[in-house]
Amino acid sequence: MAGDQANRLNNGGLIDRSAALNFRFDGKTFSGFKGDTLASALVANGVKLVGRSFKYHRPRGILTAGSEEPNALVELRSGARREANTKATTAELYEGLEAASQNRWPSLNFDVMSVNQLLAPIFVAGFYYKTFMWPAKFWEAIYEPAIRRAAGLGRAAQVSDPDHYDKAWAHCDVVIAGSGPAGLAAALAAARCGARVILCEEDFVLGGRLLADAGTIDGLHAAEWVARAVAELEAMPDVRIMTRTTLFGVYDGGTYGAIERVNDHLPVPPEHQVRQRLWRIVAKRCVVAAGAIERPIVFAGNDTPGVMMASAMRSYISRYAATPSRRIALFTNNEDGWRTAETAIAAGLQVAAVIDARPDVSPAHRSLASKGGFPVLHGSVSGVDGGKVGVRKISVLLTGGARAEVEADGLAVSGGWNPAVGLTSYHRGRPKWRDDIAAFVPDGAPPGIVAAGAANGAFSLGACLREGFEAGAAAARDAGRSGNTGSTPLANDEAFSLTPLWHVKGKGKAFVDQQHDVTASDIELAQREGFESVEHLKRYTTLGMATDQGKTSNVAGLAIMAAVTGKSIPETGTTIYRPPYVPVAIGAFAGHHRDENFHATRLTPSHHWAAEQGAVFVDTGLWKRAQWYPRAGEKDWLESVTREVKAVRSGVGFCDVSTLGKIDVHGPDAGAFLDRVYINTFSNLAVGKARYGLMLREDGIVYDDGTTSRLAEDHYFLTTTTAKAGLVMQHLEFCRQVLFPELDVQLTSVSDQWAQFSIAGPKTRDLLKEIVDPAEDLSNEGFPFMGAREVNLRGGLTARLFRISFSGEMAFEISVPARYGEATARNLMIAGKAFGVTPYGTEALGVMRIEKGHVAGPELSGTTTAADLGLGKMMSTKKDFIGRVMAGREALVAPNRQVVVGIKPVDKTRRLRSGAHIIPKGETPGPDNDQGYVTSVCFSPVLDQWIGLGLVERGRERIGEIVRAHDPLRGEDYDVELCNSVFYDPDGGRQRG
Amino acid sequence: MRIVCPFCGERELGEFTYLGDAKPQRPAADAGEDAIYDYVYLRDNIAGPMSEHWYHGGGCRAWLKVTRNTLTHEISSVEPAAGAGAAKVGA
Ligand SMILES: [Zn+2]
């Protein structure tokens, strides 16, 4: 029977019979048509069993024809593109589609795990909480893996998604969710007023329920009216119609989330196209015309394949020309359900019986029954025979107590309609109960949102059109548009009649939430055990917590809870609604921000040159920095770094330090401003000089450090650490704008404007003379230590030169406009060839700063004071500055604080590791005896051993003391000596030379 | 959330950085440790309209004083924060 589409009707349907599509389901080949969903194609091929249920592995069929589907979930596609829990009811059919049923082993027809049904008593509500409380370790080792195998949904692909996802913004006056009669009418009214409109429709065809339930609008057949409306909208330049797009969330300030399934309907997205696009739509107004969801009636066996929502059965018959059954029974408690009987008869199908729970049935329907030759039974369905082959026999409990049986191969069920209140209930809006339609309708919607049509509880076609049109016109007006709306589309208002019915008592399992296998008795049990509040009910039974978020089950669940507690439904209330309205792939939220594009990458001005040199790069924040420059024959990084250090200390080297934050400080009060943000004084710095500065947070802890130079009376050039560049700018702007508005000073971030290189080593001057204009005096007298000024370079470029040293050698930093950075690096190589110039990376930079005892990130850890760093004397007592008062607090000036000190292993061959704890000799390691830790380490080529810096209690008073470095993480414990933190050239003669 | 920057117009939340309560004002240099302690550490936990500092780092780099209802995220005013945290004369 495979591939024969035996259940395809001969006529009708919005399918293209000239475009046959082959697809595979559980390895079998079938065919369908363009315009089918996977579900409708399965229906056309007579496939009733499509999955096994979550806990009990019960056979399940297709329940709905839309995004509310709880059962027909499949793994779509294969390999890296395999997508679990895809709703067959919304998956568009394409040539070569591959899908597999979920949650069955070894096969759908023979599922070993259906033995879970026999274990049903332990799978009741709250079983996770009750059964597996003790002992805790059994949970991880035994229970959880076993349960996860037995109960679960689809499998993730386990490999990286090969497709691209995009994120985009859109702005409009009015966004409309849904393109049924209300949505189209709203779009027409708003667009005619001149509003910029975005119309989102999750289906791939516009029309909503009109695609299945035809009618007459403005004297036209509904399909023709839809075509005309769409044509009118498409002709307007400010209207954007987005199909395959679900509005899934409402966020602050009129921002809406939407997911566009751009290429999910194709096997693979075309080249350079994305699979899905996440939209953030900013709209002045939103009209929710998302329709309503038909609700089930809970009865024993209601999950048998072949039991289907009445409206879904109509959709399959009318829209897809595919009939789920040949002989249909209908169980309804309302007028609308009867449409399915009408549709079935019109399509030439047999109606076995209509079971109507209402006391009265209209004369029109009575005559339909007699014409169709089927009985109308007053009562309720109490049981279904069938199992995995599908519905065979239906037990009916007649009003008055008698019983009847109906033979049918399909059962359509209508319990009435629930407006889709999701979008209007975000931001804690609570829908309100309307007795006349026995349903919740939107109330307290977020600002700017209004519901219209069935989403607002207006179920007749005429009312949908009227409400939608009025809502669209009002939204456009509120958005400031005032054109002429033209006239409201007209249609009849069908009669509405419903007798609420939620649950029919009977023998056997009656499912409320089919995706999570929550039964009516689970809800009764939850109530008996005290979980009466709907939020508790939800979590105890997991009702409504599956991927469908209980779209077909929540209201029935709380209605049953209301019944057993003797409360009304509004008293029982609803749970909080939260986005997203439909599942959205994490990949769509990530968009292009994955792998190497997870964040932006910043390249230094000399990056490409460094890459040519074979540099190894390290990520520091967003930056890629050259870490070292390996040479042929070097066996590891340590050999390369040691060579670089030695080359600098004996000759000359250079390093790109452009990643430092750079800020120009201009204005007559620039000096006064810096005095307030640094602990030391800058207003007295002479023009042409640089000074090291330290800034605190207001709580007295060190924030950042760097060198600031005075280039003119009213112009300072400030540098920050690489890590804090952005934050220091923000902090200084706060100080300038918010705290000290009286100061006449301006800040300009120039981090990206200047390329800066440190040139260090005894031959620095020789190298600089090759690139600096010969007229510039670089002698110790003409350009002394801590000098800073502009110089002309050979070739005419003006650069800034700073005589500052991080390495402890005779050194300069040179700043050139960023676009000359790469050329400067190349020139330094050429000019320095005669002096053996050596480019060095951040590792060598780090080694030399540790040898010199300079503090950096590991010491500026957010816990240290200036005094801890040995810089306490820098704190001016003659002025106020950020952090001054709090830095004087008792605990921050306590004598036993952990302070920066040098550390070296007693055994000179031993490697020192950062993170090791400092424990006094003879004491047992532990929190009571912990006196600090090693912060920074390096192999010092000068001392020919590993050295480090650490924060150690009273460290500076204990120079020469032997203590233990205790490193439980690496299983190490060894003796180290506390020493002066300046290991190299302690009197600083080399940098001043 | 969207904030109408007085200099740049309506912009998306991602362009802004939140600092917090805009009410505390930095005490004068001689105000004493208690006053500074309060300024640094004491904050009201307001349920309702609250005056807050936001930084438009993705735009004009202005510090703004934003009045936001912490219960609804509704923003009722946005103004430049110039001087908002300045020491009160004579404080
Ligand atoms: Zn701005």
Side-chain angles (χ1 to χ4, degrees):
Chain A
M1 75 157 255
D4 62 358
Q5 300 195 41
N7 283 5
R8 186 74 74 183
L9 300 170
N10 290 330
N11 299 302
L14 301 173
I15 46 168
D16 181 354
R17 292 173 195 258
S18 69
L21 302 171
N22 295 305
F23 69 100
R24 290 169 75 77
F25 178 66
D26 277 350
K28 269 170 82 176
T29 303
F30 298 95
S31 78
F33 292 124
K34 194 171 182 333
D36 264 327
T37 61
L38 172 59
S40 71
L42 289 170
V43 166
N45 284 283
V47 177
K48 277 194 173 159
L49 175 61
V50 296
R52 289 273 175 175
S53 75
F54 180 61
K55 275 198 299 202
Y56 304 123
H57 288 243
R58 285 170 68 103
R60 291 283 164 81
I62 298 163
L63 185 70
T64 74
S67 64
E68 68 272 28
E69 177 63 29
N71 281 344
L73 306 183
V74 298
E75 289 175 357
L76 192 66
R77 302 186 171 88
S78 58
R81 291 194 166 86
R82 186 174 75 206
E83 202 179 333
N85 306 332
T86 305
K87 293 178 281 261
T89 48
T90 59
E92 271 175 72
L93 198 66
Y94 54 80
E95 178 60 34
L97 180 147
E98 266 181 83
S101 59
Q102 301 186 156
N103 211 22
R104 44 65 179 168
W105 187 82
S107 76
L108 189 52
N109 267 308
F110 178 74
D111 175 41
V112 170
M113 289 298 177
S114 54
V115 69
N116 279 4
Q117 287 196 67
L118 306 177
L119 304 177
I122 72 154
F123 273 82
V124 296
F127 86 100
Y128 290 101
Y129 308 106
K130 286 173 190 162
T131 315
F132 305 113
M133 290 294 282
W134 184 91
K137 66 181 176 192
F138 272 37
W139 176 256
E140 258 178 55
I142 297 167
Y143 298 143
E144 189 180 319
I147 292 166
R148 287 216 181 278
R149 253 199 315 279
L153 294 170
R155 302 163 302 156
Q158 305 287 356
V159 284
S160 184
D161 188 335
D163 293 327
H164 295 280
Y165 297 80
D166 198 10
K167 286 190 280 192
W169 286 91
H171 297 257
C172 65
D173 293 323
V174 183
V175 64
I176 298 163
S179 73
L184 285 176
L188 284 172
R192 285 174 188 167
C193 289
R196 296 159 65 212
V197 173
I198 293 177
L199 177 62
C200 298
E201 170 53 59
E202 69 175 350
D203 206 330
F204 52 97
V205 189
L206 300 170
R209 276 311 296 172
L210 293 175
L211 298 172
D213 294 341
T216 303
I217 304 171
D218 285 346
L220 300 170
H221 186 271
E224 200 184 335
W225 181 82
V226 170
R228 285 192 189 190
V230 171
E232 182 181 342
L233 292 169
E234 279 175 343
M236 287 192 262
D238 282 338
V239 175
R240 176 177 203 145
I241 299 174
M242 298 170 72
T243 53
R244 304 184 174 106
T245 304
T246 309
L247 210 67
F248 67 77
V250 179
Y251 303 94
D252 294 306
T255 307
Y256 301 85
I259 183 72
E260 182 185 11
R261 289 168 290 273
V262 186
N263 281 306
D264 274 359
H265 60 295
L266 300 176
V268 173
E271 211 179 346
H272 308 304
Q273 283 199 30
V274 297
R275 174 174 294 284
Q276 297 179 354
R277 184 175 290 121
L278 184 90
W279 286 93
R280 279 170 288 181
I281 300 173
V282 181
K284 296 195 180 84
R285 288 291 181 272
C286 173
V287 178
V288 175
I293 294 169
E294 196 171 25
R295 61 197 186 202
I297 299 169
V298 178
F299 53 84
N302 64 335
D303 64 330
T304 309
V307 176
M308 191 180 267
M309 299 315 306
S311 59
M313 198 171 282
R314 295 203 293 279
S315 290
Y316 289 116
I317 295 170
S318 301
R319 176 174 171 182
Y320 301 106
T323 180
S325 323
R326 291 286 167 186
R327 188 176 153 82
I328 298 165
L330 167 69
F331 176 24
T332 183
N333 68 344
N334 67 89
E335 196 72 5
D336 187 72
W338 274 87
R339 290 189 186 203
T340 301
E342 293 164 11
T343 301
I345 288 167
L349 302 169
Q350 243 189 334
V351 175
V354 171
I355 302 111
D356 197 322
R358 295 174 300 170
D360 293 311
V361 170
S362 69
H365 286 148
R366 288 206 175 282
S367 76
L368 180 76
S370 63
K371 237 179 3 201
F374 60 86
V376 178
L377 307 176
H378 291 280
S380 304
V381 172
S382 58
V384 178
D385 277 1
K388 70 185 181 192
V389 297
V391 175
R392 277 195 312 254
K393 202 157 56 179
I394 296 154
S395 310
V396 180
L397 179 63
L398 296 170
T399 311
R403 294 188 176 270
E405 283 190 339
V406 175
E407 296 210 351
D409 65 348
L411 174 60
V413 180
S414 179
W417 292 82
N418 289 326
V421 295
L423 289 171
T424 48
S425 301
Y426 296 146
H427 298 210
R428 298 214 156 205
R430 294 290 187 140
K432 71 167 183 239
W433 180 256
R434 254 177 65 187
D435 263 328
D436 60 330
I437 56 170
F440 282 103
V441 295
D443 194 28
I449 304 192
V450 64
N456 197 34
F459 294 139
S460 78
L461 180 54
C464 283
L465 292 164
R466 276 195 306 278
E467 275 204 1
F469 201 78
E470 276 164 27
R477 262 197 318 276
D478 293 345
R481 309 288 176 173
S482 55
N484 184 359
T485 60
S487 55
T488 311
L490 295 176
N492 287 335
D493 289 321
E494 312 91 45
F496 178 86
S497 147
L498 175 141
T499 301
L501 176 64
W502 306 101
H503 176 207
V504 184
K505 298 232 183 235
K507 269 166 95 177
K509 287 195 177 305
F511 285 88
V512 180
D513 181 336
Q514 299 208 17
Q515 191 169 146
H516 259 175
D517 268 358
V518 180
T519 63
S521 55
D522 285 331
I523 294 171
E524 288 158 0
L525 178 67
Q527 187 270 336
R528 283 201 302 280
E529 298 190 341
F531 296 94
E532 284 188 14
S533 126
V534 284
E535 297 287 0
H536 287 158
L537 171 69
K538 168 177 165 175
R539 282 153 188 88
Y540 195 58
T541 62
T542 72
L543 170 74
M545 290 173 73
T547 63
D548 64 346
Q549 294 188 321
K551 288 186 173 58
T552 56
S553 61
N554 280 343
V555 177
L558 65 94
I560 292 169
M561 180 55 94
V564 294
T565 53
K567 288 183 187 163
S568 70
I569 291 173
E571 276 168 353
T572 305
T574 60
T575 53
I576 301 268
Y577 291 81
R578 294 183 182 90
Y581 185 70
V582 293
V584 180
I586 299 278
F589 284 105
H592 293 293
H593 297 273
R594 54 180 278 190
D595 303 323
E596 73 274 19
N597 296 318
F598 181 64
H599 58 65
T601 301
R602 297 177 80 180
L603 302 182
T604 62
S606 67
H607 182 88
H608 298 296
W609 165 82
E612 280 171 26
Q613 301 291 310
V616 171
F617 293 98
V618 60
D619 288 341
T620 51
L622 303 181
W623 291 99
K624 294 225 176 278
R625 297 189 73 181
Q627 198 172 8
W628 66 85
Y629 295 81
R631 281 193 188 162
E634 288 175 344
K635 64 181 187 300
D636 60 11
W637 64 272
L638 185 56
E639 194 178 343
S640 306
V641 171
T642 301
R643 170 187 47 78
E644 289 172 14
V645 172
K646 285 179 171 166
V648 172
R649 297 239 184 267
S650 63
V652 61
F654 71 92
C655 177
D656 191 327
V657 294
S658 309
T659 60
L660 296 176
K662 307 178 208 73
I663 299 168
D664 266 337
V665 185
H666 286 275
D669 294 327
F673 175 76
L674 294 176
D675 285 350
R676 296 194 193 182
V677 296
Y678 280 114
I679 64 172
N680 47 332
T681 307
F682 280 87
S683 53
N684 62 6
L685 182 67
V687 172
K689 292 294 252 182
R691 182 171 284 168
Y692 174 73
L694 197 66
M695 55 176 78
L696 307 185
R697 310 190 305 219
E698 195 71 276
D699 66 0
I701 297 294
V702 171
Y703 189 47
D704 199 53
D705 69 347
T707 309
T708 290
S709 310
R710 192 168 197 172
L711 299 176
E713 198 59 36
D714 60 352
H715 179 196
Y716 290 79
F717 175 70
L718 178 157
T719 63
T720 76
T721 60
T722 300
K724 291 268 172 58
L727 289 170
V728 168
M729 184 70 194
Q730 179 177 332
H731 168 68
L732 295 182
E733 283 290 7
F734 183 79
C735 295
R736 184 185 76 84
Q737 296 176 34
V738 182
L739 302 183
F740 312 129
E742 71 278 14
L743 297 181
D744 188 356
V745 61
Q746 292 298 325
L747 305 172
T748 312
S749 169
V750 292
S751 295
D752 289 331
Q753 277 64 32
W754 294 95
Q756 195 152 319
F757 296 90
S758 170
I759 305 167
K763 293 179 183 164
T764 294
R765 240 186 232 113
D766 300 326
L767 169 54
L768 270 180
K769 278 177 185 161
E770 298 293 318
I771 66 163
V772 172
D773 190 300
E776 302 284 355
D777 183 0
L778 299 180
S779 70
N780 215 15
E781 298 71 38
F783 211 130
F785 186 58
M786 299 309 274
R789 68 160 193 261
E790 282 190 347
V791 294
N792 291 318
L793 302 187
R794 291 171 189 263
L797 189 66
T798 302
R800 290 174 179 176
L801 204 56
F802 309 91
R803 196 170 155 199
I804 52 181
S805 176
F806 199 48
S807 58
E809 297 299 332
M810 156 72 203
F812 280 89
E813 285 189 15
I814 186 168
S815 245
V816 295
R819 62 187 179 281
Y820 293 102
E822 185 174 333
T824 301
R826 291 183 193 281
N827 271 345
L828 286 170
M829 287 301 279
I830 295 165
K833 197 158 187 200
F835 316 107
V837 69
T838 301
Y840 65 97
T842 55
E843 285 298 325
L845 184 88
V847 170
M848 290 188 279
R849 76 102 183 159
I850 294 169
E851 286 181 331
K852 277 298 289 180
H854 289 309
V855 293
E859 291 79 35
L860 274 60
S861 59
T863 61
T864 45
T865 66
D868 296 344
L869 303 179
L871 303 170
K873 291 203 179 83
M874 283 173 64
M875 283 213 264
S876 168
T877 52
K878 299 186 184 118
K879 57 162 187 141
D880 189 29
F881 56 85
I882 299 281
R884 177 185 63 93
V885 176
M886 290 288 96
R889 280 181 292 167
E890 199 180 340
L892 295 194
V893 297
N896 62 342
R897 283 187 66 83
Q898 298 180 354
V899 300
V900 169
V901 66
I903 295 173
K904 54 187 180 188
V906 172
D907 174 358
K908 288 191 164 197
T909 62
R910 176 127 216 160
R911 182 167 179 178
L912 183 65
R913 301 271 198 174
S914 33
H917 291 255
I918 301 300
I919 310 288
K921 287 286 280 179
E923 301 284 356
T924 312
D928 293 344
N929 297 315
D930 199 317
Q931 296 190 324
Y933 66 104
V934 181
T935 52
S936 301
V937 299
C938 72
F939 177 78
S940 165
V942 171
L943 278 75
D944 195 30
Q945 74 165 109
W946 285 84
I947 60 167
L949 302 176
L951 287 165
V952 179
E953 230 173 271
R954 298 178 188 267
R956 281 191 292 273
E957 301 161 27
R958 297 165 64 186
I959 302 299
E961 186 180 331
I962 309 295
V963 294
R964 288 165 68 185
H966 180 68
D967 190 348
L969 201 63
R970 301 182 182 92
E972 294 179 346
D973 197 313
Y974 45 95
D975 287 351
V976 295
E977 183 189 334
L978 302 179
C979 57
N980 188 326
S981 60
V982 187
F983 294 88
Y984 179 71
D985 190 30
D987 60 5
R990 294 182 72 89
Q991 64 197 19
R992 291 192 174 79
Chain B
M1 208 158 83
R2 300 176 69 76
I3 296 175
V4 182
C5 173
F7 305 106
C8 307
E10 184 182 314
R11 297 300 176 94
E12 193 258 335
L13 178 66
E15 294 187 4
F16 299 86
T17 309
Y18 178 75
L19 181 72
D21 195 350
K23 205 171 65 185
Q25 292 186 302
R26 191 169 190 272
D30 57 357
E33 196 176 311
D34 287 351
I36 293 270
Y37 179 88
D38 288 359
Y39 168 69
V40 173
Y41 290 109
L42 291 194
R43 294 290 181 276
D44 292 333
N45 187 11
I46 295 168
M50 176 173 176
S51 175
E52 301 170 333
H53 281 311
W54 289 79
Y55 178 59
H56 196 190
C60 61
R61 292 202 176 121
W63 276 94
L64 304 172
K65 208 168 91 171
V66 175
T67 308
R68 180 181 67 105
N69 188 322
T70 59
L71 297 174
T72 62
H73 292 184
E74 189 191 343
I75 291 172
S76 51
S77 85
V78 185
E79 54 191 70
K88 274 186 244 168
V89 177

